[in-house]
Amino acid sequence: MYTTILSVKVNSISFKVPSAFLAREVDIDIYVPEGILGNEKIELLLLNDGQDVAKMDFKKILEEAHHNKRNHRLIVVAIKASAERLMEYGVAGVPDFKGRGAKASLYSDFIIKELLPFVKKKIAMPITGKVAFGGFSLGGLSAFDIAWNNPSVFDSIGVFSGAFWWRKKDLADGYTDADRIMHSLIDTSSTKPDMKFWLMTGTEDEKADRNKNLIIDSIDDTIDVVKSLLLKGYKRPENIFYYEKVGGKHDVPTWENAMPAFLNWAFEV
């Protein structure tokens, strides 16, 4: 018996999205599979730090993800960060100890109220499948925060080397783990969003080890997010997938290498 391999070509189109909330235009790249008929299940992925996506062979990644998938098509929107990245990314309403993330609420409004309507108008087809939000490093923290607070919009979250260290107090000012902003948000949320989580770290993400337990902080902080989610009532592996990449670094090649695993997990393509 022979297996038929569907060849699906992916094109990318660049746009500038005007934003009243951010008082600027936001550059995005939309990756669209060719030949969509409209009767397939259309799914959508937003990715923060689209400038890093542009450094990947992303078209090839999507083309390979679509092999042998007749009834599903994934459209990806890569949102490029600006010089305001450290102010626009973060946790809405809770700047870190240096005041970074002060515009995170505005960025969230941009995503929900401006970007998604713009994208849906350009796609001109209903999104009938899953919708996910992902990102890298601080962009991953931002994606987590926005999706967590908008469970009616997003089904799943993908975080690559997430900046879960984001904190209200500096290490030199009496920091404790209770000062981590995202962990506190999860722990104190009164609801449990219907959500799935894919969290990736690399064993060489960084060198920092603030508690001297011989485990780098990025791994510690991500595992503690998993623990908080488990205490919230989420289950592994149904709702949570933790991927620790041996030799993985805090860089684009590592995230590019991990991307197919995320796509296979989050979507049916």
Side-chain angles (χ1 to χ4, degrees), residues 23-240:
R24 67 179 180 88
E25 291 185 323
V26 181
D27 292 314
I28 67 170
D29 294 326
I30 303 182
Y31 294 81
V32 183
E34 279 189 355
I36 296 179
L37 301 175
N39 59 352
E40 304 94 339
K41 181 178 285 187
I42 307 298
E43 303 191 294
L44 179 65
L45 168 63
L46 305 185
L47 286 174
N48 277 334
D49 281 319
Q51 71 280 359
D52 289 335
V53 176
K55 298 173 185 176
M56 303 177 186
D57 193 354
F58 200 71
K59 290 183 183 179
K60 182 179 179 182
I61 291 173
L62 282 184
E63 287 167 357
E64 291 181 351
H66 281 93
H67 277 187
N68 275 341
K69 305 299 181 182
R70 296 183 178 276
N71 300 315
H72 300 81
R73 290 294 179 264
L74 173 62
I75 296 172
V76 179
V77 180
I79 312 152
K80 296 182 180 179
S82 74
E84 289 284 276
R85 179 178 183 272
L86 290 176
M87 299 303 289
E88 293 176 354
Y89 287 177
V91 176
V94 191
D96 88 330
F97 67 95
K98 287 188 175 181
R100 296 170 294 193
K103 296 183 179 180
S105 293
L106 295 173
Y107 185 72
S108 178
D109 284 338
F110 160 71
I111 293 292
I112 301 300
K113 299 176 183 179
E114 294 176 329
L115 178 68
L116 282 172
F118 179 93
V119 168
K120 289 177 181 178
K121 184 176 180 180
K122 292 297 180 183
I123 293 174
M125 289 177 289
I127 307 299
T128 53
K130 297 174 183 176
V131 179
F133 200 172
F136 317 103
S137 190
L138 185 54
L141 178 72
S142 169
F144 192 112
D145 177 57
I146 293 170
W148 177 267
N149 287 300
N150 293 278
S152 64
V153 178
F154 299 101
D155 301 293
S156 57
I157 300 170
V159 180
F160 299 72
S161 301
F164 290 123
W165 58 267
W166 202 245
R167 50 185 177 260
K168 292 180 288 186
K169 189 179 291 186
D170 195 0
L171 295 178
D173 294 331
Y175 162 88
T176 69
D177 283 350
D179 294 311
R180 292 176 298 185
I181 296 172
M182 181 51 66
H183 301 76
S184 178
L185 174 65
I186 297 169
D187 295 340
T188 58
S189 293
S190 59
T191 59
K192 177 189 164 192
D194 185 11
M195 195 78 62
K196 294 178 66 177
F197 310 87
W198 188 93
L199 308 173
M200 172 264 166
T201 60
T203 58
E204 297 181 25
D205 245 325
E206 60 178 337
K207 300 294 184 183
D209 177 16
R210 60 178 180 264
N211 60 1
K212 310 302 180 186
N213 67 346
L214 303 181
I215 301 173
I216 59 175
D217 292 343
S218 60
I219 292 177
D220 262 345
D221 292 334
T222 303
I223 288 176
D224 284 347
V225 167
V226 172
K227 291 178 180 177
S228 288
L229 292 172
L230 291 171
L231 288 174
K232 198 77 178 171
Y234 295 100
K235 305 294 183 183
R236 295 181 66 185
E238 297 93 332
N239 305 108
I240 306 167

Side-chain angles (χ1 to χ4, degrees), residues 247-261:
K249 299 180 180 180
H250 200 89
D251 61 18
V252 172
T254 294
W255 304 328
E256 179 179 23
N257 185 265
M259 183 61 68

